[in-house]
Amino acid sequence: SMPNHATAWVEAFRRVGVNFSEREVYLMEGSRGKDTVQFAFNRQFGYDSKEEDEERIYAIKSSVFRQQPIAPPMKDVEKVLSFLKNKNVKMTIVTGSGEYSTLDRIQECFPNTFVREQIVTAYDVSKGKPNPEPYLKGLQKLGVTAAETIVVENAPPGVKAGKAAGCFTIGVNTGILQEDDLLAAGADLVFKDMNMLLRFFQKHICWVE
């Protein structure tokens, strides 16, 4: 649903007189909404946004987002999830989103794949990506260590968060960014799409008891 999020963020900022590009939205992907507003205010005005600014702009963003057409599942992601599920690999989602509609959509598209209580959202943390807290919370919810975990990310804040949490972190460039954006953030590997990620997993992941 990232193209819809990008449209919504750009429009929300436009309505309050803040210039924010689609590329900047993708560079901030995975961050909490309040952190995105904070970044935009610091860049344009040189000062922090107030809580009322963050709440107002996020409310506009959410309204515009809900008016967007339903996003189709990411290409080949179902194949990746199916492969990992068949290998008994524990999986969860660590997102900076607070959109309940997005979480509902995940359950609709990928039934019996993720446990809702194990998903980490903006409401579970006090600090968002690139801080490691979201992934540390994810490790805690799954009952695993960083050494046992592979983080798959498609934006710099998430890559930085995964690495800071001590996890092997793979960047998959599913949006409009460049591979160098993910490598510069510290990704251990970068793939151009989910099909390449699938081939990597097929080669390296054996059956998990």
Side-chain angles (χ1 to χ4, degrees):
S1 59
M2 191 55 196
N4 291 354
H5 284 287
T7 297
W9 272 121
V10 171
E11 175 61 16
F13 280 122
R14 185 194 67 79
R15 293 185 188 182
V16 298
V18 176
N19 297 318
F20 207 73
S21 69
E22 183 183 32
R23 174 174 164 76
E24 286 176 306
V25 178
Y26 275 88
L27 286 170
M28 292 295 294
E29 181 178 358
S31 302
R32 296 181 304 170
K34 65 182 299 181
D35 294 331
T36 299
V37 177
Q38 192 82 262
F39 170 83
F41 269 59
N42 272 294
R43 179 184 50 70
Q44 182 155 332
F45 305 123
Y47 57 78
D48 291 344
S49 55
K50 297 179 181 179
E51 186 174 350
E52 52 262 38
D53 297 319
E54 295 157 7
E55 291 178 352
R56 178 166 61 101
I57 294 172
Y58 194 74
I60 297 171
K61 182 263 178 182
S62 295
S63 176
V64 176
F65 177 79
R66 288 192 293 268
Q67 295 171 29
Q68 302 301 303
I70 296 177
M74 186 181 294
K75 181 177 172 58
D76 293 324
V77 71
E78 189 171 3
K79 295 178 183 178
V80 175
L81 296 178
S82 178
F83 173 80
L84 295 176
K85 187 177 179 180
N86 288 335
K87 294 292 184 181
N88 285 344
V89 175
K90 290 183 179 180
M91 295 182 287
T92 193
I93 294 172
V94 176
T95 176
S97 176
E99 299 283 356
Y100 289 110
S101 60
T102 298
L103 299 179
D104 290 339
R105 180 72 172 144
I106 288 169
Q107 301 289 10
E108 177 186 332
C109 291
F110 313 113
N112 304 314
T113 301
F114 302 103
V115 177
R116 184 68 174 260
E117 291 73 25
Q118 292 177 339
I119 294 176
V120 179
T121 73
Y123 301 112
D124 293 304
V125 297
S126 60
K127 296 179 181 178
K129 303 172 186 178
N131 190 281
E133 184 185 355
Y135 278 110
L136 294 175
K137 178 68 73 170
L139 298 177
Q140 179 185 347
K141 286 193 173 191
L142 282 183
V144 297
T145 68
E148 297 173 299
T149 302
I150 295 176
V151 166
V152 177
E153 270 287 350
N154 61 350
V159 170
K160 292 177 181 178
K163 291 297 296 179
C167 303
F168 186 87
T169 302
I170 298 175
V172 183
N173 197 17
T174 60
I176 64 173
L177 301 180
Q178 301 297 314
E179 290 187 14
D180 286 347
D181 292 320
L182 301 176
L183 288 171
D188 293 292
L189 294 172
V190 175
F191 298 129
K192 68 178 182 179
D193 55 34
M194 282 289 171
N195 189 50
M196 287 187 66
L197 177 67
L198 175 61
R199 294 205 298 270
F200 172 82
F201 283 152
Q202 288 171 333
K203 182 177 180 180
H204 294 286
I205 292 185
C206 300
W207 187 268
V208 178
E209 295 295 339

